[in-house]
Amino acid sequence: MAHNMSLGHDHGEAHHHDHGHGDGYGHSHGHSHDHGASSRGRLIAALAVTATILIAELIGAWISGSLALAADAGHMLVDSSGLVIALIAVHLSQRPRNNRFTWGWSRAEVLAAALQAGMLIIICGIVAVEGISHLINQPDVEPVPMLIIGAIGLVANAASIIILAGGRESSLNMRAAFLEVVNDALGSLAVILAAIIGLATGWVRADSIASLFIVALMVPRAFTLLRTAIRILMEATPDEIDLDDVREHICGVNGVKDCHDLHINTISTGVVALTAHVAVDSGLSVAEHHRILHTLEDCTAQHFPVAIKHTTFQLEAKDHSGHERLHHGAA
């Protein structure tokens, strides 16, 4: 179908979209269960490794007196609970939609990511205070147990990275879990370096430096993850999409006079929704309305950095906006 749009993009190519609406919107969601099962398996395997490291580091911190090991154990505790939350979120996201939850439980993954970020920020505060205290008051630290447990942790974290690497782009939850184990590996490396410095020079304050380094690794990730989750929950326009550009494309469709109440937001990873009121020429036939609707659906699904495949367009006469109860300004 040729698109009658005076825009910089080439709309002359043939499109092969099924616009049948018999099953809701003609969208296929059959892949979600496969992704959920794959994510669940990866998370369970990563949880087993992380829980093992947590126990080892707690024992090692108690034997050696190492704050760096204790900090990394705290990190592991957050990661373990975060992986449990992620598993719950994966399970909830597979629950079917109903009349109460019309989007299903897709955003459970976003809530889980926000909770993980909050837990990380709390742990960072506790470890930072203890790290500064240990820098001032030199602690008693045994470097040998630090070195052994740090090496075990590094190997185990490398295994977790391999497990989660293949699924890190499937959801915000999986991406968060992958970044956590990468930072865990860096934390284990910091513990090893602090232990080596302690053995070589006797300067055990390297342990405190390592604990503060682990905090420095956690803080940016925690705030970035929290920011992303909050933006999704606040229904902000995705960063990759310019709302004015979308509006320009919509208004460029032949027969469209105006576009207002335009909203684009992320429902969950990979699911972006758009709603808009589109004013069209008066007196258009039903066939022309269908042509405009199909053109808008094709354009929003294909011509932006993020495919917007769940769209709701209200086609209306230009003077209809005066009858609307709620006005959202320029949007």
Side-chain angles (χ1 to χ4, degrees), residues 69 76 88 126 149 170 176 235 243 277 297 318:
L69 271 179
M76 290 292 178
I88 295 172
I126 295 171
I149 299 300
S170 63
E235 300 195 349
L243 201 67
H277 288 208
E297 288 175 341
K318 186 160 178 32

Side-chain angles (χ1 to χ4, degrees), residues 180-250:
E180 283 170 3
V181 297
V182 169
N183 274 4
D184 287 341
L186 293 175
S188 295
L189 185 60
V191 170
I192 293 171
L193 291 176
I196 292 173
I197 292 172
L199 284 171
T201 68
W203 191 59
V204 294
R205 281 191 172 92
D207 174 67
S208 302
I209 299 295
S211 69
L212 293 174
F213 173 74
I214 293 169
V215 169
L217 289 174
M218 291 192 289
V219 167
R221 191 192 71 212
F223 279 102
T224 299
L225 187 60
L226 185 61
R227 174 185 177 273
T228 301
I230 288 175
R231 284 179 62 83
I232 293 175
L233 293 174
M234 293 298 293
E235 300 195 349
T237 303
D239 290 337
E240 304 88 344
I241 294 178
D242 183 335
L243 201 67
D244 290 333
D245 188 32
V246 176
R247 184 182 291 107
E248 181 183 347
H249 275 69
I250 291 174

Side-chain angles (χ1 to χ4, degrees), residues 52-61 63-64 69 72 143-157 188 191-192 195:
T52 301
I53 302 171
L54 168 62
I55 294 170
E57 288 191 338
L58 285 173
I59 295 172
I63 294 173
S64 67
L69 271 179
D72 209 37
V144 173
M146 281 181 63
L147 182 60
I148 295 171
I149 299 300
I152 293 172
L154 183 60
V155 172
N157 280 314
S188 295
V191 170
I192 293 171

Side-chain angles (χ1 to χ4, degrees), residues 31-306:
H31 63 283
S32 62
H33 295 288
D34 293 336
H35 286 171
S38 175
S39 296
R40 188 181 298 113
R42 293 178 189 275
L43 288 170
I44 290 172
L47 177 59
V49 173
T50 303
T52 301
I53 302 171
L54 168 62
I55 294 170
E57 288 191 338
L58 285 173
I59 295 172
W62 177 66
I63 294 173
S64 67
S66 167
L67 179 61
L69 271 179
D72 209 37
H75 195 186
M76 290 292 178
L77 178 61
V78 174
D79 289 354
S80 296
S81 59
L83 288 168
V84 171
I85 293 169
L87 278 167
I88 295 172
V90 168
H91 173 71
L92 290 176
S93 67
Q94 301 304 307
R95 296 182 64 177
R97 304 176 184 183
N98 56 40
N99 289 341
R100 177 66 63 183
F101 296 98
T102 55
W103 284 106
W105 289 72
S106 299
R107 279 196 173 162
E109 62 157 354
V110 183
L111 291 172
L115 184 56
Q116 288 179 60
M119 293 167 65
L120 275 175
I121 291 170
I122 292 171
I123 292 292
C124 285
I126 295 171
V127 173
V129 170
E130 288 297 314
I132 294 171
S133 174
H134 282 210
L135 274 177
I136 298 171
N137 305 303
Q138 179 169 314
D140 294 325
V141 178
E142 294 292 335
V144 173
M146 281 181 63
L147 182 60
I148 295 171
I149 299 300
I152 293 172
L154 183 60
V155 172
N157 280 314
S160 291
I161 289 172
I162 294 171
I163 291 169
L164 294 174
R168 66 183 183 275
E169 298 302 328
S170 63
S171 74
L172 183 63
N173 240 359
M174 291 297 293
R175 190 155 56 249
F178 176 77
L179 290 174
E180 283 170 3
V181 297
V182 169
N183 274 4
D184 287 341
L186 293 175
S188 295
L189 185 60
V191 170
I192 293 171
L193 291 176
I196 292 173
I197 292 172
L199 284 171
T201 68
W203 191 59
V204 294
R205 281 191 172 92
D207 174 67
S208 302
I209 299 295
S211 69
L212 293 174
F213 173 74
I214 293 169
V215 169
L217 289 174
M218 291 192 289
V219 167
R221 191 192 71 212
F223 279 102
T224 299
L225 187 60
L226 185 61
R227 174 185 177 273
T228 301
I230 288 175
R231 284 179 62 83
I232 293 175
L233 293 174
M234 293 298 293
E235 300 195 349
T237 303
D239 290 337
E240 304 88 344
I241 294 178
D242 183 335
L243 201 67
D244 290 333
D245 188 32
V246 176
R247 184 182 291 107
E248 181 183 347
H249 275 69
I250 291 174
C251 291
V253 174
N254 186 31
V256 172
K257 295 302 182 183
D258 183 39
C259 173
H260 59 279
D261 280 354
L262 173 61
H263 304 278
I264 303 175
N265 62 291
T266 303
I267 303 303
S268 62
T269 302
V271 181
V272 177
L274 176 152
T275 61
H277 288 208
V278 179
V280 299
D281 287 327
S282 57
L284 291 179
S285 66
V286 172
E288 282 296 300
H289 275 242
H290 286 170
R291 191 265 310 165
I292 291 173
L293 180 60
H294 292 175
T295 301
L296 292 174
E297 288 175 341
D298 285 346
C299 186
T300 53
Q302 296 178 12
H303 293 286
F304 302 104
V306 175

